Amino acid sequence: MIKIGSSIGSSLFALVFCFAFMHQSTALAATSVQSTVDRNEMGLGDSFTLSVTVVSNDDVDVQDPRVPSLEDFDLLNNWSSTAVAQKLVQTSKGMQFETQRRKEFHYMLSPKRAGTLSVSSFEVVVNGKVYRTQPIVINVGSQGGGSGGGGRGVPKSPKAPSTGPRMPHGFDDQFENMDNAEEEIFNQLLQQRQRLMQQMQQQGGGNFPDPNNFGSVGTGGMAHPAFRSLPTNPNEAFFISVELDKTEVYEGEQVTVNWYVYTRGQMETLDRLKFPDLRGFWKEIIEEVPAIQFSEEIVNGVPWKKALLASHALFPIKAGTAVVDEYKIKSRVRLLSQGQGWGYSGKPYEYTKSSARVEIKVKPLPLEGRPSDFSGAVGQFELHDSVENTTVPVNQPFSLKVRFEGAGNAKLIDLPALNLPSALEQYDSKSEAKFFKNGRSFKEFEVLLIPRQEGELTIPAMSVSMFDPQGSKYYTRKTQPITLKIVNNPNAPVGSSQRMADGGKPSATAPVVTNRLPDVIMAWQPSTQASVMYRPWVWVFIFAGVIASLLWKAQREFGWGRRQRTLKELVQKRYKALDSALAKNEVRKVGAEMTNIFYLVMGNVSGEGGASLKINDLLEMIPPSLRREHGDEITKTFEIFQTMSFAPEEMLGGLKDPATMKGNVERAKKVISEMISSVDEKQS
């Protein structure tokens, strides 16, 4: 005879186990790890930023990524950032807030050689589970592309081609619309200024100062440059000029550099052969003109046509001698006729010209008088902190904003120590930074704080020391302390907070709340007139059905009662999907299927499973005889299919050819067959 109580208890245990398993699966599925780059085409000497991003709906434990071998790259810098976002989503219970957490690890890399290079997969451990990112292919030309360094600590990458998908909409840049509007206004002002300068020059000629006082944008040039190269031969077809506002600076101090083209002929084409590499500098683009616009300038009594090529703000990153290298262009020019008038005649000729190389002396920041709280900020900055409301409910998050703004590169500034009181918990932080075309910049940190006790709290004043390169001295900026009133939160869980007595200590008379079930559950009592739903035999059938369905699902999921498939049978099943993709000439799918088959077989041969290891690590774990005979072939064929899976379309070349693809598949099947045979021999 079956006891009803025991049956119900077993069924409830099975239900709890099932729900816990489903919840864990959902949590894992809600976590994604991916890698992106701000660009994948560049020249030798340029740099790019690679970001590894972990996005999860839950509060997960994220370990620092395991960086792969970077033999072809120099690691210039690395930093990390975190963010938390909420958005309304439709659920079965109506519209609810969904929280998404993002952790980003940024790596600034510079290629060591030209050619097609590859950044291997990064491995990130999230809640004990290993995730691998996709490899990224980088195209490196022999000449620099002029993009310089990426942004340090900026959550959002520059708008350039990316090999990875975009971030979830919950992390859309809240300042993007503002930035776009600002850029549009600036472009309109720039166009008005250029028209004004052309009108002034047509009326009176000569070189006029910049009406907007930018000092680095436009054809007017700098008022008092420290270095400027000008054309001396009036018979030259064209000349590339470079001007700098400083040739001796401190580490991190801004140097503004402009490049211009001067000509007395008619330039019919203009090809930028080499952008300056600008090694040793952090670079911010003030302007790189897509189409040049000429204006008149008289040099030593000779009239020239002058146009801006580019304007950059450079920040030297270490003491010593830094070099602003050549800007090289090629142009087909039709020269000015020697007859009457100012017409252009005769056959055009092609010329190649370069700007001068300019050395900059970079002085180290002085050690004497350096404050202990110096954070590396160089420039003239103001510091402000603020909260939206000084009255905050207990256990409810609020934002503290810390903003640096002024002349210099604020992107390099780190969040200072906050020294918060123990009753105030720091939950998360994110930052937003921007460099403006007039040489000013800002960086704003938004810190999420949670008060844990009622009463009065004070966020202490912050003190940050910076270096002023103009005055050659250190200075300190301080904020004002912020006093908060933490009030009772009726929506907080019962007993989740403490009321503070005098001196900020918990009150001795605070009520103690014991854990109990909600009143709505305790008040439930079965009706005195029992209906059919209260009859025991009905519950027996219900729970019997639940148990049967759970057993059927477990049998399908875990294969209970079925014969375990051999490795050969598993591979043959995968081959069916592979052959189908091969017949349809689906290059990406063929690459992905064969890559997965390699991991499956190598994991079984090594006895390590393979899901969390790189192929080179698995290769070290297989029997030495297999490694000696087939190691090179395994590595070569695996790289082919990995390239077919992830490389950009233009990089595939002949790998997309059906005959080549079929040949590579046969090669792979042959070496996989050898590995399977070794497993069969070991088991027999």
Side-chain angles (χ1 to χ4, degrees), residues 577-592:
L578 172 69
D579 294 339
S580 175
L582 186 62
K584 298 176 183 177
N585 201 30
E586 297 176 346
V587 180
R588 300 295 189 189
K589 191 171 182 181
V590 170

Side-chain angles (χ1 to χ4, degrees), residues 565-624:
R565 293 181 178 178
T566 64
L567 177 59
K568 185 175 183 180
E569 290 173 333
L570 292 173
V571 171
Q572 290 298 329
K573 184 179 180 181
R574 291 289 186 95
Y575 277 166
K576 291 181 181 179
L578 172 69
D579 294 339
S580 175
L582 186 62
K584 298 176 183 177
N585 201 30
E586 297 176 346
V587 180
R588 300 295 189 189
K589 191 171 182 181
V590 170
E593 289 291 342
M594 188 55 79
T595 301
N596 290 333
I597 292 173
F598 265 103
Y599 273 115
L600 171 65
V601 176
M602 295 284 287
N604 276 270
V605 172
S606 64
E608 294 293 330
S612 61
L613 298 175
K614 294 187 291 187
I615 200 72
N616 291 336
D617 295 335
L618 291 172
L619 197 60
E620 293 296 323
M621 299 178 182
I622 66 175

Side-chain angles (χ1 to χ4, degrees), residues 40 274 351 420 643:
N40 53 17
K274 177 183 179 297
Y351 302 89
L420 298 172
T643 302

Side-chain angles (χ1 to χ4, degrees), residues 110-352:
S110 178
K112 293 181 180 179
R113 61 180 179 86
T116 301
L117 309 181
S118 176
V119 181
S120 301
S121 300
F122 284 71
E123 295 182 358
V124 186
V125 178
V126 182
N127 275 1
K129 180 178 175 60
V130 179
Y131 292 81
R132 272 196 311 271
T133 65
Q134 297 179 351
I136 297 177
V137 176
I138 304 295
N139 250 343
V140 183
S142 58
Q143 298 293 339
S147 300
R152 179 179 183 262
V154 182
K156 189 175 182 68
S157 297
K159 297 178 181 178
S162 173
T163 61
R166 293 184 180 271
M167 292 294 100
H169 294 296
F171 295 110
D172 287 344
D173 187 356
Q174 59 180 325
F175 298 106
E176 184 173 1
N177 294 333
M178 186 186 305
D179 292 345
N180 292 338
E182 180 186 49
E183 291 290 334
E184 181 64 25
I185 293 173
F186 178 84
N187 291 333
Q188 293 176 7
L189 290 174
L190 181 61
Q191 293 172 4
Q192 293 175 6
R193 181 194 50 161
Q194 290 174 340
R195 286 195 295 269
L196 174 62
M197 292 183 64
Q198 291 174 0
Q199 292 172 3
M200 294 171 65
Q201 290 166 346
Q202 289 171 1
Q203 294 172 4
N207 184 17
F208 292 87
D210 187 350
N212 283 335
N213 197 29
F214 284 161
S216 59
V217 181
T219 56
M222 300 174 185
H224 304 287
F227 178 89
R228 175 187 286 168
S229 59
L230 292 174
T232 56
N233 182 3
N235 296 321
E236 275 191 293
F238 67 92
F239 179 83
I240 307 301
S241 170
V242 58
E243 64 180 20
L244 291 80
D245 65 339
K246 306 182 190 76
T247 56
E248 183 174 338
V249 294
Y250 285 100
E251 296 174 68
E253 182 180 356
Q254 178 175 335
V255 180
T256 304
V257 185
N258 299 336
W259 290 271
Y260 298 92
V261 59
Y262 287 77
T263 182
R264 301 191 68 219
Q266 182 179 14
M267 303 184 76
E268 297 183 350
T269 63
L270 190 149
D271 296 325
R272 293 173 171 85
L273 298 182
K274 177 183 179 297
F275 286 86
D277 294 333
L278 302 175
R279 296 182 181 178
F281 294 100
W282 178 294
K283 185 186 74 176
E284 292 289 341
I285 297 174
I286 297 175
E287 186 169 3
E288 284 186 348
V289 294
I292 60 176
Q293 298 181 4
F294 286 98
S295 63
E296 293 286 336
E297 181 171 319
I298 297 176
V299 180
N300 295 328
V302 178
W304 292 81
K305 292 189 298 182
K306 174 185 178 182
L308 177 71
L309 294 172
S311 179
H312 292 166
L314 307 180
F315 301 87
I317 57 180
K318 63 180 181 179
T321 300
V323 177
V324 177
D325 52 317
E326 302 90 349
Y327 194 125
K328 182 183 293 186
I329 67 172
K330 180 174 69 174
S331 177
R332 186 168 67 246
V333 182
R334 194 180 298 273
L335 298 178
L336 188 67
S337 64
Q338 299 299 320
Q340 297 181 349
W342 287 89
Y344 299 95
S345 62
K347 179 182 178 182
Y349 293 91
E350 275 195 347
Y351 302 89
T352 299

Side-chain angles (χ1 to χ4, degrees), residues 535-560:
R535 297 177 183 175
W537 62 269
V538 174
W539 289 103
V540 172
F541 281 105
I542 291 175
F543 281 105
V546 170
I547 293 172
S549 63
L550 288 173
L551 290 174
W552 175 79
K553 183 175 180 60
Q555 193 272 339
R556 294 198 57 180
E557 293 290 334
F558 302 109
W560 293 345

Side-chain angles (χ1 to χ4, degrees), residues 27-96:
L28 292 176
T31 300
S32 65
V33 179
Q34 60 189 11
S35 60
T36 58
V37 294
D38 55 359
R39 60 197 180 113
N40 53 17
E41 292 188 2
M42 66 201 69
L44 190 61
D46 291 342
S47 62
F48 65 98
T49 300
L50 184 147
S51 300
V52 178
T53 305
V54 181
V55 179
S56 177
N57 293 336
D58 299 315
D59 188 7
V60 294
D61 176 37
V62 182
Q63 298 183 15
D64 289 349
R66 186 167 69 180
V67 180
S69 173
L70 300 173
E71 296 179 355
D72 294 328
F73 302 92
D74 285 322
L75 179 60
L76 304 180
N77 199 359
N78 67 284
W79 65 98
S80 62
S81 60
T82 58
V84 178
Q86 286 188 329
K87 62 179 180 178
L88 279 172
V89 296
Q90 181 66 43
T91 67
S92 58
K93 298 181 180 179
M95 298 298 292
Q96 292 187 351

